[in-house]
Amino acid sequence: MVTKDKKVVLAYSGGLDTTYCALHLSKDLGMKVYTVLGNTGGFSEQELAAIEKKTQKLGVIEHISIDLTEDYYAKCIKYLIMGNVLKNNCYPLSVSSERAFQAMAIAQYANEIGADFIAHGSTGAGNDQIRFDLIFQIMAPNAKIITPTRDLELSREEEIQYLKEAGIDDAFEKMAYSINAGIWGTSIGGKETLVSDQTIPEEAYSSQVTQTEPSALSIGFEKGELVSVNGEIFENPLDAIKTIEKIGSAYGIGRDMHIGDTILGTKGRVAFEAAAPVLILKAHEMLEKHCLSKWQMHWKDQLGDFYGMLLHEAQYLEPLMRNIECFLEDSQKTVSGEVKLMLYPKYYQMIGVNSEHDLMNDAFGQYGEKNEGWTAEDVKGFTTILANSMKIYHTVNAK
């Protein structure tokens, strides 16, 4: 494979694997390396500046950071909320959802500069390699995919040694945990996530518990979208997410260990902290219980779960995803109101909702107390008809 002086666009995060890839591609393969960081809300301005400065030591021709947060919310997070999507009733798809948007932005950039190659630093053991490969194949078909970390089967120690010998020492040995942060949560991988009987220590989480006294939290929705937190109105839902994250993470809320099936067929574990996603999803779900019909809730559960599964398994560009998004958005016409919660160290309690669309309407009755919309005789007749098919079955098969 001829690589010398060929243009390659590298998905770059500033971590060990992508730092190794950048230097290897430029130094060993003689390629013209262009690095792209797709920011989904997990980097500060200072961190972005430090990452750009680092690329200057790696032989990179040009480095750019693309802020994907607004697009990521509008085309994905919004639907994760509307669908109450928690993978395996646990994980808010923090990383798996953002990878599609990073890959699409990187592929677009590769097309714009006419790249000969497109690269990422994923290993051969996880889901991300498939997420990047699949979207690169679809959106940048003229760029050949190159993956040094995967193809060379390098260990972490080998990468560190290579960088040290080249004069790049970024304290990689101290990075005991692999952390991926974004607006929709932070995933954390380490030695404890590689086995089945351990969990990561308190200090591995990026935020620590600082609040010990209980406090109330209210989250407002308008047609399924975030509009307020504790009575404060937000024009941009992203600002509401950040506010809830700041409040909830101070209590250590949203921490858990996700255990699930990888795209490759193996089982995998990852720790995460996602205070805002967990609080928002549970608040939204409670509001829907009050504002949607039984069958709306039933089919939303099916489609929301399926949407999350496809997204997790690299299928964001599957046309069915756009169909499901239409259903989810249409289902939110009456999902407006305020949800009240109480926060405590490492747990929360759902209190109740206020909504003009609340279907717990006194005009029709109060459960277990009074019936206003029907009579006792109505119930007797209804029950007789409801029992008919079962009566027939059990009578015919009595022997």
Side-chain angles (χ1 to χ4, degrees):
M1 179 173 62
V2 178
T3 58
K4 187 172 176 56
D5 293 329
K6 297 292 185 180
K7 282 185 180 179
V8 58
V9 169
L10 170 65
Y12 188 76
S13 66
L16 175 59
D17 291 328
T18 57
T19 299
Y20 168 82
C21 288
L23 186 61
H24 171 71
L25 293 170
S26 64
K27 179 184 174 184
D28 301 336
L29 301 186
M31 305 181 81
K32 294 178 179 177
V33 181
Y34 296 76
T35 50
V36 182
L37 186 150
N39 182 13
T40 52
F43 295 91
S44 67
E45 290 299 323
Q46 294 79 7
E47 289 169 330
L48 291 173
I51 288 171
E52 182 173 9
K53 185 176 180 180
K54 185 195 298 185
T55 63
Q56 296 169 6
K57 303 176 184 178
L58 304 173
V60 171
I61 301 292
E62 182 179 63
H63 172 80
I64 65 167
S65 296
I66 304 175
D67 191 341
L68 305 171
T69 319
E70 294 282 352
D71 203 42
Y72 178 35
Y73 172 80
K75 295 180 180 179
C76 186
I77 292 176
K78 178 174 77 172
Y79 299 111
L80 294 178
I81 295 172
M82 292 177 175
N84 304 318
V85 177
L86 284 172
K87 179 68 174 171
N88 291 2
N89 200 34
C90 172
Y91 179 49
L93 298 183
S94 305
V95 174
S96 45
S97 60
E98 66 186 30
R99 286 294 184 258
F101 290 83
Q102 292 166 337
M104 288 188 290
I106 292 161
Q108 182 177 348
Y109 179 73
N111 291 333
E112 289 172 0
I113 70 167
D116 303 290
F117 293 85
I118 189 167
H120 60 81
S122 303
T123 69
N127 290 323
D128 283 348
Q129 58 178 327
I130 296 172
R131 294 171 182 143
F132 280 117
D133 279 9
L134 188 148
I135 286 178
F136 289 168
Q137 287 180 21
I138 296 169
M139 296 194 64
N142 296 323
K144 184 176 178 61
I145 299 171
I146 183 169
T147 55
T149 306
R150 175 173 63 183
D151 296 342
L152 298 174
E153 298 182 355
L154 297 170
S155 69
R156 186 177 183 86
E157 291 71 26
E158 288 172 318
E159 289 180 328
I160 291 172
Q161 186 61 34
Y162 173 86
L163 292 171
K164 278 187 171 183
E165 290 174 357
I168 309 296
D169 189 359
D170 200 17
F172 292 114
E173 301 97 323
K174 296 180 181 179
M175 298 180 185
Y177 295 91
S178 174
I179 297 175
N180 287 281
I183 189 72
W184 204 236
T186 299
S187 71
I188 307 160
K191 60 183 181 180
E192 295 88 357
T193 63
L194 300 177
V195 295
S196 300
D197 62 345
Q198 298 178 32
T199 190
I200 64 172
E202 180 77 14
E203 59 270 18
Y205 290 102
S206 56
S207 63
Q208 301 298 309
V209 177
T210 58
Q211 295 292 331
T212 57
E213 294 299 318
S215 67
L217 172 67
S218 65
I219 301 176
F221 297 89
E222 182 68 34
K223 294 184 178 180
E225 291 204 64
L226 285 164
V227 292
S228 68
V229 181
N230 288 336
E232 180 182 357
I233 304 298
F234 290 90
E235 291 186 10
N236 189 336
L238 289 170
D239 294 327
I241 293 172
K242 292 174 185 176
T243 299
I244 297 169
E245 180 65 32
K246 184 177 180 180
I247 294 170
S249 62
Y251 284 95
I253 290 170
R255 298 176 175 185
D256 209 338
M257 185 77 75
H258 169 56
I259 300 94
D261 298 289
T262 69
I263 305 170
L264 299 167
T266 59
K267 293 287 185 181
R269 301 176 84 224
V270 66
F272 66 89
E273 56 178 330
V278 169
L279 291 170
I280 291 165
L281 290 170
K282 288 302 181 181
H284 178 265
E285 181 182 47
M286 187 176 193
L287 182 60
E288 284 193 326
K289 288 178 180 179
H290 283 262
C291 298
L292 295 184
S293 73
K294 174 176 71 174
W295 293 116
Q296 282 179 302
M297 288 296 298
H298 173 82
W299 285 108
K300 275 194 73 273
D301 284 347
Q302 316 306 310
L303 289 175
D305 186 62
F306 193 66
Y307 184 89
M309 183 196 70
L310 288 180
L311 183 60
H312 179 73
E313 299 199 351
Q315 300 294 307
Y316 179 78
L317 294 178
E318 161 60 48
L320 176 62
M321 297 290 277
R322 309 292 82 79
N323 303 142
I324 297 175
E325 287 163 1
C326 290
F327 171 87
L328 292 174
E329 194 146 17
D330 185 73
S331 74
Q332 301 298 292
K333 291 176 180 178
T334 61
V335 185
S336 300
E338 188 176 58
V339 184
K340 299 177 182 179
L341 309 89
M342 283 296 296
L343 307 184
Y344 307 88
K346 299 192 177 178
Y347 76 100
Y348 61 93
Q349 180 182 10
M350 308 299 297
I351 302 301
V353 308
N354 284 320
S355 172
E356 63 180 16
H357 300 288
D358 190 351
L359 299 179
M360 284 188 64
N361 193 307
D362 285 353
F364 294 90
Q366 288 182 327
Y367 179 69
E369 295 294 328
K370 62 179 181 178
N371 49 298
E372 299 287 349
W374 62 89
T375 67
E377 293 305 312
D378 291 335
V379 176
K380 294 174 185 178
F382 168 75
T383 307
T384 298
I385 298 301
L386 184 64
N388 256 344
S389 64
M390 287 180 283
K391 282 182 180 177
I392 293 169
Y393 176 88
H394 287 287
T395 299
V396 170
N397 294 289
K399 297 181 179 180

